[in-house]
Amino acid sequence: MTTTSNSITDNTIIQVENLSKSFGTLEVIRDISFNVQKGEVLGIIGPSGSGKSTLLRCITQLEKVTGGSITICGQKMVDGGNYADKKTLREIGLKVGLVFQNFNLFPHLSVLRNITEAQRIVLKRSKEEAEQIAMDLLGKMNIADKAANYPCQLSGGQQQRVSIARALALNPQVLFFDEPTSALDPELTGEILEVIRELAKTNMTMVVVTHEMSFARDTSDHIIFMDGGVIVEQGDPHEVIGNPKEERTKQFLRRFNNL
């Protein structure tokens, strides 16, 4: 298996070492190690059930790890399976944003309030400041005219753009995407991928779990292929996707005719 990861530098935003996660006797991820540098886009690909989403949930504190270490922006979140104190975990939590595949918007709140609520509660911003930031982000997402609408009045692509704006409103140091287009109709997929491409141009640090192979190849700076809870192969996206070394990677990629 090819498991070489990026070296650790002063610009290392995420450092994952020998990470494991089990649910009872089921080992979902095992001995995962990689680093993400500031401004880098890491693409994570692999079949369903390979542990990709669980990995993201562990890094964003939605799941507790079984073993290993995670460091975010130089702060140790968990070391050898032992977690930092609550204050440190909260500080780390403010540095990461997560965009879910199923939007996770509050259905009873308007688009504007979906984006301002966390700003006001978590960051203690004033209503005026939170709304200004929300409207600026909605403008960048080309849906400023939907501020007063409710999620049920939006298309799936529009809801996902609101989710991205909500995550960005908290000024995360790194943004995670968990298959952001999997719940969308094919014709809406392209617009969300374009939003992520534009974010990449601003040097936003991102980790993207995706089934869109062409997008992963062309947008990522580094790519990881996972299967069976382990990293099978990782490296330059054009090499891993265009010229994979491992037989399991080759088998997985054969199903994508557009490559």
Side-chain angles (χ1 to χ4, degrees):
M1 293 182 183
T2 307
T3 56
T4 304
S5 62
N6 296 338
S7 59
I8 300 170
T9 72
D10 291 341
N11 288 323
T12 301
I13 296 287
I14 302 170
Q15 183 182 352
V16 175
E17 299 174 281
N18 309 116
L19 199 69
S20 63
K21 170 63 181 178
S22 298
F23 294 101
T25 59
L26 178 63
E27 198 171 34
V28 181
I29 54 176
R30 173 167 44 91
D31 198 27
I32 296 286
S33 297
F34 64 88
N35 303 312
V36 181
Q37 309 302 321
K38 185 176 181 179
E40 182 179 54
V41 178
L42 172 66
I44 303 179
I45 62 173
S48 297
S50 60
K52 306 183 303 296
S53 293
T54 299
L55 175 61
L56 258 58
R57 290 178 66 84
C58 287
I59 300 173
T60 55
Q61 301 185 48
L62 293 177
E63 295 284 356
K64 285 211 166 186
V65 308
T66 305
S69 302
I70 301 172
T71 304
I72 308 285
C73 297
Q75 288 182 288
K76 189 73 75 171
M77 183 178 106
V78 56
D79 189 8
N82 299 311
Y83 277 81
D85 59 82
K86 289 184 178 180
K87 179 177 180 291
T88 301
L89 292 178
R90 183 180 182 279
E91 290 173 356
I92 293 172
L94 290 173
K95 294 175 180 177
V96 304
L98 176 60
V99 177
F100 299 88
Q101 52 186 290
N102 292 316
F103 322 136
N104 279 33
L105 298 175
F106 296 110
H108 62 291
L109 299 181
S110 68
V111 165
L112 186 63
R113 282 196 62 197
N114 261 284
I115 301 174
T116 60
E117 205 77 354
Q119 294 185 66
R120 298 188 65 192
I121 294 172
V122 178
L123 300 183
K124 308 302 181 185
R125 287 175 179 158
S126 68
K127 179 181 178 182
E128 293 73 18
E129 183 185 10
E131 288 185 351
Q132 182 60 59
I133 289 169
M135 291 306 300
D136 287 346
L137 287 167
L138 288 172
K140 291 176 181 177
M141 299 291 158
N142 295 316
I143 49 172
D145 60 326
K146 304 295 183 182
N149 289 48
Y150 286 82
C152 66
Q153 298 172 306
L154 306 181
S155 69
Q158 290 169 337
Q159 289 186 61
Q160 193 60 293
R161 278 184 274 170
V162 174
S163 297
I164 295 170
R166 180 176 62 181
L168 289 170
L170 298 179
N171 298 327
Q173 297 296 304
V174 56
L175 195 54
F176 293 85
F177 292 87
D178 186 8
E179 298 185 18
T181 62
S182 65
L184 301 178
D185 293 332
E187 64 266 24
L188 298 176
T189 295
E191 67 182 56
I192 297 305
L193 296 181
E194 185 56 35
V195 168
I196 300 173
R197 286 191 191 97
E198 290 301 313
L199 286 173
K201 292 177 183 177
T202 69
N203 292 320
M204 182 78 200
T205 308
M206 294 185 284
V207 178
V208 185
V209 170
T210 182
H211 286 299
E212 302 293 333
M213 292 303 115
S214 295
F215 167 79
R217 178 192 61 200
D218 298 335
T219 307
S220 303
D221 298 295
H222 191 81
I223 203 159
I224 285 173
F225 170 65
M226 289 182 64
D227 188 37
V230 301
I231 295 177
V232 176
E233 187 165 354
Q234 66 173 308
D236 178 88
H238 288 85
E239 281 296 311
V240 173
I241 293 180
N243 187 31
K245 303 295 188 294
E246 302 293 331
E247 184 57 36
R248 181 64 188 96
T249 316
K250 295 175 183 177
Q251 291 173 355
F252 173 74
L253 291 170
R254 284 191 191 115
R255 73 185 72 175
F256 297 97
N257 297 324
N258 63 327
L259 298 174

